[in-house]
Amino acid sequence: MPDQSLKVMSDGLELQVEAFGDGRPFLFAHSLGGCRHQARRLLEPLASEFRVIVFDQRGHCGSTPVTDPALYEPRRMAGDVAAVLDGLGVAQAIVGGESMGAATTLLFATMHPKRVQHVVQVAPTVGDEPNPSRQMIVAVGDFAAEYGLDAAADAIALASMSQGIPREAARLVTEIWSHHRLESFVAANRAVPNWVLFDDLAPVAALKMPLAVLAWGGDPSRPLPLARRLAAAARRGRIETVDSLADFAREPGLYAKLLRHLLPE
């Protein structure tokens, strides 16, 4: 099937969407500060088996800038997932994402379970408790507001390297920041870290479809205990873990390889 690139309207905002590959539809939502280009690069190895759908979440990269923190509301962003599937004419799909994208797709699955065949959670950041590193993430937005996105990316890379993460791995997270609108980036970083999706994990336990988790250690903003709790709460939960984000820098293709282990045959 040929590649598709289109714009989809959701909640009065325009979302930039791409679909590539051939097979069962697999929608993947990127992390806070990420974009569809990063997601596509990571998921290209899956294109021989899946119709991969990536999109710029609201306020990010090619989608409509969003400078009001109140518009980064998780249920509204779960609605964006529905709009993307509708725009492509997809009634049901495998859905998943990383970090912020894990949250929006998990919430979508609880809101629209009949539209979801399988849930994938990569490095989840929030569930029934706020992110333990929320003050640091908000501070990154404040730093960017004062000094710019490039300076904020450099600061995060240096902080990550001081914890033993190679520069290449640190740049996996921040390399796209300069392509965002500064005001949107700041608003997202002030809003998203304070999300709490559920009072408890009962909505996750109620899901009937499989839920698969990919997580790593050494990253307090993407807590491994939360990943394990989500997998344990799900009726049909599975989890794959690696030691740290650095593993993906050392072995190109590992991200997609581990995801393939977690996806349905």
Side-chain angles (χ1 to χ4, degrees), residues 54-258:
V54 294
F55 68 105
D56 291 328
Q57 295 199 78
R58 60 173 60 196
H60 287 66
C61 204
S63 292
T64 301
V66 173
T67 58
D68 180 358
L71 293 180
Y72 291 101
E73 195 278 324
R75 286 186 170 268
R76 297 176 85 154
M77 292 182 68
D80 294 343
V81 174
V84 169
L85 293 177
D86 290 344
L88 289 166
V90 175
Q92 190 179 62
I94 302 162
V95 303
E98 179 179 327
S99 185
M100 177 181 76
T104 55
T105 53
L106 179 61
L107 195 53
F108 173 78
T110 65
M111 294 166 63
H112 304 283
K114 292 183 178 180
R115 301 198 67 176
V116 179
Q117 298 172 346
H118 197 103
V119 183
V120 179
Q121 298 284 282
V122 179
T125 56
V126 65
D128 54 348
E129 298 174 350
N131 189 287
S133 296
R134 59 192 178 280
Q135 292 180 336
M136 181 274 290
I137 300 169
V138 171
V140 169
D142 293 341
F143 185 91
E146 185 167 357
Y147 299 104
L149 286 170
D150 287 340
D154 288 342
I156 289 297
L158 288 171
S160 300
M161 290 164 61
S162 71
Q163 297 177 12
I165 296 176
R167 178 181 291 274
E168 319 86 79
R171 282 299 185 190
L172 288 175
V173 178
T174 63
E175 64 184 352
I176 200 66
W177 285 7
S178 63
H179 296 276
H180 293 306
R181 300 284 186 90
L182 175 61
E183 297 81 2
S184 284
F185 180 91
V186 172
N189 272 263
R190 288 173 175 169
V192 173
N194 294 305
W195 285 358
V196 177
L197 302 183
F198 315 113
D199 292 333
D200 53 43
L201 294 184
V204 177
L207 293 174
K208 296 181 180 179
M209 76 288 291
L211 183 147
V213 183
L214 172 60
W216 50 84
D219 187 348
S221 68
R222 299 170 174 195
L224 189 53
L226 170 64
R228 288 176 170 147
R229 288 178 59 230
L230 286 175
R235 295 186 192 184
R236 301 166 66 187
R238 294 178 57 199
I239 187 167
E240 291 268 2
T241 63
V242 296
D243 289 337
S244 78
L245 183 62
D247 290 352
F248 298 111
R250 285 192 289 265
E251 186 180 340
L254 179 62
Y255 192 100
K257 180 180 178 180
L258 292 175

Side-chain angles (χ1 to χ4, degrees), residues 40-51:
R40 176 165 187 154
R41 186 167 63 250
L42 289 167
L43 301 179
E44 282 279 7
L46 302 177
S48 62
E49 297 182 75
F50 300 92
R51 182 69 172 168

